[in-house]
C-alpha cells in the first residue's frame, strides 16, 4: 500500500509514527484481495490555527471507491487513533458490501434460465444474512486468534475471510434449512462455530504436511492481528477490567493495547466450552437462552461458564 503522511504545524513523535504504521498495517491486512499498488492511503495531521486542537484526515483509495474519514481531538494521538478506528470500521462495511454484491450476482446468474424464486423472499433472506455478516466476520476473526494461541498454528494458516465466505455460502445456499427456533443471526453463529471447529480439525490432521507451510504467503504478527476485531456492544467490556485513560499519550495508548492483547490471551486460555459461552454471552451480546440454543447447552450451564470465565479473568489480571 502506498502511504503518504503530511503534517501541518505539528511534529509527530516516534510513538505516534509507530501508531500510524501499526494502524496502517491493519488497514492493509483487511484488504488482502487488492494488490499493494492498488491501495493508496493519504494521512494528514494538522494543528488547527484556532485553539489547541488537532485534526487527522485519512483518505484510502481503492479501485472501487475512496474512503475519507476525519476527527478533531485535543491531542494528535487521540485524533490519529479515533480516525483510524473509524477507517477500520468503514473498511469492514466496504468488504461486507463487496461480499454481498458478489454473492447475490452469482445467485441471480444461477437461477437464470429457469423459474426464478419470488423476489420478496430472496430480498428478505438477503437482508437477514447481510445484517449479521459484520458480526460473523468479527466472531470468526476472534475465534481463529484464540484457537491459534491454544493450538499453536501459525498466523495466516487459516484466513478469516475464507472462513466467513464459507459460512456465508453455506447459509445463503440453504436458507430453508434454518431451524425454526433460531433467528437468522443465531443460526449464522451456529454455522460459524461449526465451520471454525471443522477447519481447525482439518488443520490438525494436515499439520505435519510440508505443503501447508508453503501456502502461507504472508508473515502476520499476532500482536497486529489481535485488535483487528472489536467488541460489539458486549455486556462486559474490556474497559470494565482495565482503567481506560483515553490514550492521553502515545505511550499510554500502546500500553493499553498491550494489556488488551493480554486479556484476549487469557480468554484464549479458557477451556473451549467455557470460552465459547463467555464469548457469545459477554462479547457478542447474546443472552443465556440464545447461547444455549447456539451451543446445545442449557441456560444454567451457560451462566455457570460465564461466571467461571469472569472469575478466571479477574484473577489473572490481578497477577
Amino acid at each position: 500500500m502506498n502511504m503518504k503522511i503530511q503534517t501541518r504545524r505539528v511534529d509527530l513523535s516516534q510513538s505516534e509514527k509507530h501508531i500510524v504504521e501499526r494502524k496502517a498495517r491493519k488497514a492493509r491486512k483487511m484488504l488482502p484481495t487488492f494488490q499493494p499498488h492498488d491501495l493508496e492511503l493519504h494521512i494528514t495531521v494538522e494543528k488547527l490555527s484556532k485553539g489547541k486542537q488537532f485534526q487527522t484526515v485519512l483518505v484510502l483509495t481503492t479501485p472501487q471507491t475512496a474512503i475519507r474519514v476525519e476527527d478533531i481531538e485535543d491531542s494528535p494521538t487521540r485524533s490519529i487513533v479515533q480516525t483510524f478506528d473509524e477507517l477500520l470500521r468503514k473498511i469492514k462495511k466496504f468488504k461486507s458490501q463487496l461480499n454481498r454484491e458478489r454473492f447475490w450476482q452469482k445467485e441471480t446468474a444461477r437461477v437464470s434460465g429457469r423459474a426464478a424464486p419470488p423476489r420478496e423472499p430472496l430480498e428478505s433472506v438477503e437482508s437477514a444474512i447481510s445484517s449479521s455478516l459484520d458480526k460473523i466476520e468479527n466472531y470468526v476473526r476472534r475465534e481463529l486468534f484464540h484457537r491459534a494461541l491454544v493450538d499453536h498454528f501459525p498466523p495466516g494458516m487459516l484466513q478469516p475471510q475464507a472462513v466467513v465466505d464459507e459460512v456465508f455460502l453455506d447459509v445463503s445456499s440453504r436458507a430453508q434449512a434454518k431451524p425454526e427456533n433460531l433467528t437468522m443471526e443465531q443460526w449464522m453463529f451456529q454455522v460459524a462455530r461449526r465451520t471454525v471447529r471443522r477447519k481447525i480439525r482439518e488443520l490438525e490432521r494436515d499439520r505435519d504436511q510440508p505443503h501447508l507451510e508453503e501456502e502461507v504467503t504472508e508473515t502476520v504478527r499476532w500482536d497486529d492481528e489481535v485488535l483487528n476485531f472489536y467488541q460489539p456492544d458486549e455486556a462486559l467490556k474490556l474497559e470494565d477490567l482495565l482503567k481506560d485513560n483515553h490514550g492521553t499519550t502515545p505511550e499510554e495508548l500502546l500500553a493499553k493495547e498491550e494489556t488488551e492483547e493480554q486479556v484476549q490471551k487469557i480468554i484464549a486460555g479458557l477451556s473451549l466450552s467455557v470460552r465459547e459461552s463467555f464469548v457469545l454471552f459477554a462479547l457478542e451480546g447474546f443472552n443465556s437462552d440464545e447461547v444455549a440454543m447456539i451451543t446445545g447447552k442449557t441456560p444454567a450451564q451457560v451462566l455457570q461458564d460465564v461466571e467461571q470465565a469472569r472469575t478466571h479473568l479477574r484473577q489473572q489480571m490481578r497477577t
Side-chain angles (χ1 to χ4, degrees):
M1 179 167 62
N2 300 318
M3 184 172 67
K4 181 180 180 181
I5 303 177
Q6 291 180 312
T7 59
R8 298 169 184 165
R9 294 185 292 275
V10 61
D11 293 324
L12 299 183
S13 67
Q14 285 300 117
S15 295
E16 288 166 339
K17 291 178 181 178
H18 177 70
I19 292 171
V20 169
E21 293 170 356
R22 183 168 181 162
K23 297 286 188 180
R25 286 201 301 270
K26 291 182 183 180
R28 171 68 188 96
K29 290 172 184 175
M30 291 175 67
L31 297 166
T33 58
F34 294 101
Q35 295 298 319
H37 61 265
D38 289 333
L39 300 173
E40 292 188 0
L41 178 62
H42 290 260
I43 306 163
T44 303
V45 183
E46 175 183 8
K47 182 179 181 182
L48 301 181
S49 55
K50 294 183 179 180
K52 298 181 179 180
Q53 291 186 312
F54 298 83
Q55 180 183 49
T56 299
V57 178
L58 304 178
V59 179
L60 175 65
T61 304
T62 75
Q64 280 86 359
T65 189
I67 302 174
R68 185 183 188 278
V69 292
E70 61 179 271
D71 186 74
I72 298 175
E73 300 290 341
D74 292 333
S75 75
T77 302
R78 186 67 176 169
S79 178
I80 291 169
V81 171
Q82 292 286 67
T83 312
F84 264 105
D85 287 348
E86 180 62 22
L87 176 66
L88 297 180
R89 281 190 287 270
K90 289 198 173 186
I91 290 175
K92 287 178 182 289
K93 291 182 179 180
F94 170 62
K95 287 175 58 180
S96 296
Q97 182 63 32
L98 288 180
N99 288 337
R100 288 193 288 268
E101 290 176 356
R102 192 160 53 237
F103 174 80
W104 295 114
Q105 286 170 359
K106 291 179 181 178
E107 183 68 7
T108 301
R110 186 180 68 83
V111 301
S112 63
R114 57 188 177 87
R119 181 68 176 169
E120 185 172 338
L122 182 61
E123 290 181 345
S124 177
V125 171
E126 175 185 356
S127 176
I129 294 174
S130 299
S131 64
S132 300
L133 195 57
D134 287 344
K135 290 188 69 175
I136 292 297
E137 179 176 352
N138 185 67
Y139 170 76
V140 167
R141 188 176 293 277
R142 187 198 291 112
E143 283 295 293
L144 292 182
F145 170 72
H146 286 164
R147 294 300 299 268
L149 289 176
V150 174
D151 297 324
H152 307 293
F153 62 79
M157 190 69 78
L158 282 178
Q159 294 295 329
Q161 191 58 53
V163 179
V164 173
D165 288 345
E166 186 168 331
V167 173
F168 186 59
L169 181 61
D170 187 4
V171 172
S172 302
S173 61
R174 57 187 194 93
Q176 300 304 317
K178 181 184 76 65
E180 293 184 1
N181 64 325
L182 297 179
T183 66
M184 180 62 76
E185 180 181 79
Q186 292 165 1
W187 187 47
M188 289 179 70
F189 270 90
Q190 191 178 77
V191 173
R193 170 177 173 264
R194 183 170 62 244
T195 302
V196 170
R197 287 188 169 196
R198 177 172 55 77
K199 288 291 189 182
I200 295 296
R201 288 196 300 270
E202 292 173 356
L203 188 62
E204 289 173 343
R205 286 199 301 266
D206 297 336
R207 188 195 297 268
D208 297 328
Q209 298 299 319
H211 71 275
L212 281 180
E213 296 182 359
E214 299 174 0
E215 295 177 2
V216 182
T217 58
E218 180 181 5
T219 300
V220 182
R221 289 167 51 87
W222 276 128
D223 59 355
D224 291 333
E225 284 293 304
V226 62
L227 297 180
N228 269 1
F229 50 79
Y230 62 99
Q231 310 302 332
D233 192 29
E234 69 275 23
L236 179 64
K237 297 179 182 295
L238 292 182
E239 285 77 7
D240 293 335
L241 300 173
L242 312 173
K243 183 178 179 181
D244 187 1
N245 55 22
H246 301 292
T248 53
T249 69
E251 291 75 18
E252 289 171 337
L253 176 70
L254 292 174
K256 183 173 183 294
E257 286 193 356
E258 291 174 358
T259 309
E260 289 179 347
E261 180 178 344
Q262 180 186 0
V263 170
Q264 293 298 338
K265 288 180 178 179
I266 295 173
I267 295 174
L270 296 167
S271 69
L272 178 59
S273 179
V274 170
R275 184 183 60 77
E276 71 176 7
S277 294
F278 179 76
V279 166
L280 291 171
F281 181 90
L283 302 185
E284 294 295 344
F286 291 108
N287 62 40
S288 57
D289 290 335
E290 292 170 329
V291 176
M293 287 188 291
I294 293 172
T295 62
K297 301 176 183 177
T298 66
Q301 289 173 325
V302 170
L303 292 176
Q304 183 178 2
D305 288 344
V306 171
E307 185 56 35
Q308 181 178 338
R310 284 175 167 168
T311 300
H312 180 74
L313 258 172
R314 293 189 173 101
Q315 289 175 343
Q316 291 298 311
M317 290 305 297
R318 290 194 194 103
T319 59

